[in-house]
Amino acid sequence: MKTGLSVSEIVLENESAWRAESDTRNGVMAVWKVMLDCIYKGCHTTGILPGGLEVKRRAFELNKKLLGDVQYSNSVEWTNLISKKGNGFSNTVDWVSCFALAVNEENASFGRVVTAPTNGAAGVIPAVLLYYIVFCDGNHDDKVVQFLLTAAEIGSIFKKGATISAAMGGCQAEIGVSSAMAAAALCECLGGTQRQVLMAAEIAMEHHLGLTCDPIGGLVQIPCIERNTMGAIKAITAAQLALQSKPDFALVSLDKVIHTMWNTALDMNIKYKETADGGLATQIPIALAEC
């Protein structure tokens, strides 16, 4: 805040100590291409996810239902068609959910995803970024770079101050962190100040505190896939709340919520940390073959 630079501008300045700015921008855009390809593939692949739970892919059917009987041949034409359908509340929520589902169904079927910040939470950031591109007129390379640089810095702060591992901190460390990253990034791209950006990250994490990791069968499917849709929607809500708020009146800072998250992680029972030994995982009877 002392420099007057945005979060993304500070990150870009720091990265320039390692490589040319053009190389950083090209690298970030390459990451976005993988994210977009993952969403597109996930929305156009049907079938049952591997692992024995017989979970049916849903992004394919949702995409088909939302777009109807239209023809397109690539992701550019596809996103243009989505934007032309309008941005009513229900339509927007359905698409954000579809984007997030697509990524994590790809993850559950050994597809290529961007670990942001983890594979199990990989759907939140691309879903919110594509929401911004499609519904907020953010289809510009500079905005994509701004979004991902901001998200990356927030993720780095959480990693240094707490954890991004569900095995160490429960799902608050994965979906919670990814939601905070996406919230901050969206807030900045929508014109938020540095303090509003940090506030957006804080709001998103504050409402993920204590979230357990108890996957059924130890697979990153239930509740993990749907949980990414929840994280994405919370990120958008957090960004909007921060934009309509005055950080001067906030009682909880990002530093304090990170500290709280870490203390919560230390207190959390081990069976709620990615072990499938507690919570939801123990309520669903399954019979999986031994590895």
Side-chain angles (χ1 to χ4, degrees):
M1 286 177 280
K2 293 180 181 178
T3 66
L5 299 175
S6 67
V7 174
S8 62
E9 288 171 336
I10 291 173
V11 175
L12 197 58
E13 189 74 17
N14 288 340
E15 290 299 316
S16 294
W18 298 91
R19 65 183 74 82
E21 182 177 314
S22 59
D23 291 340
T24 298
R25 290 181 177 275
N26 290 337
V28 172
M29 290 305 298
V31 168
W32 169 236
K33 183 181 184 304
V34 175
M35 287 180 169
L36 181 58
D37 288 347
C38 181
I39 296 174
Y40 187 74
K41 183 179 179 183
C43 285
H44 297 86
T45 305
T46 188
I48 304 296
L49 296 176
L53 293 182
E54 299 298 309
V55 174
K56 183 180 179 180
R57 283 178 176 259
R58 285 183 284 177
F60 177 89
E61 293 295 340
L62 184 52
N63 175 70
K64 185 177 179 181
K65 180 180 179 180
L66 292 171
L67 276 184
D69 188 20
V70 294
Q71 300 296 317
Y72 51 89
S73 58
N74 55 56
S75 60
V76 174
E77 294 178 6
W78 177 63
T79 52
N80 286 338
L81 285 168
I82 295 171
S83 64
K84 290 177 182 178
K85 286 285 185 179
N87 58 354
F89 180 77
S90 179
N91 183 65
T92 302
V93 170
D94 283 342
W95 275 116
V96 172
S97 296
C98 186
F99 301 154
L101 288 173
V103 173
N104 288 87
E105 287 172 355
E106 280 298 292
N107 177 61
S109 59
F110 309 105
R112 190 184 191 202
V113 303
V114 175
T115 302
T118 64
N119 280 22
V124 176
I125 290 170
V128 176
L129 178 47
L130 191 53
Y131 155 80
Y132 174 68
I133 289 171
V134 172
F135 297 108
C136 305
D137 192 29
N139 192 18
H140 313 285
D141 288 0
D142 285 347
K143 285 295 187 179
V144 172
V145 171
Q146 182 182 11
F147 188 104
L148 290 177
L149 289 180
T150 304
E153 182 58 28
I154 297 300
S156 178
I157 292 171
F158 271 99
K159 185 176 181 180
K160 293 171 184 175
T163 181
I164 59 171
S165 166
M168 292 182 68
C171 201
Q172 61 175 354
E174 296 202 15
I175 292 296
V177 172
S178 65
S179 186
M181 293 165 68
L186 179 61
C187 184
E188 180 168 312
C189 286
L190 290 175
T193 65
Q194 303 101 316
R195 295 182 70 186
Q196 285 175 321
V197 167
L198 299 181
M199 186 179 188
E202 183 279 320
I203 292 171
M205 173 51 73
E206 185 177 331
H207 301 289
H208 281 93
L209 288 174
L211 189 63
T212 59
C213 180
D214 48 355
I216 295 174
L219 300 171
V220 190
Q221 295 182 16
I222 304 173
C224 318
I225 295 173
E226 285 183 354
R227 194 165 279 180
N228 278 261
T229 72
M230 300 296 110
I233 296 300
K234 282 188 179 181
I236 295 170
T237 303
Q240 291 298 140
L241 275 172
L243 287 168
Q244 301 303 326
S245 302
K246 294 182 179 180
D248 288 346
F249 298 111
L251 296 180
V252 183
S253 67
L254 179 59
D255 286 342
K256 289 187 182 301
V257 86
I258 292 173
H259 185 67
T260 301
M261 174 200 151
W262 180 236
N263 284 339
T264 304
L266 294 176
D267 289 339
M268 188 179 291
N269 191 299
I270 189 64
K271 68 183 181 180
Y272 298 116
K273 297 181 181 182
E274 209 177 44
T275 61
D277 289 333
L280 188 64
T282 63
Q283 301 300 312
I284 310 299
I286 57 172
L288 297 179
E290 292 292 333
C291 296

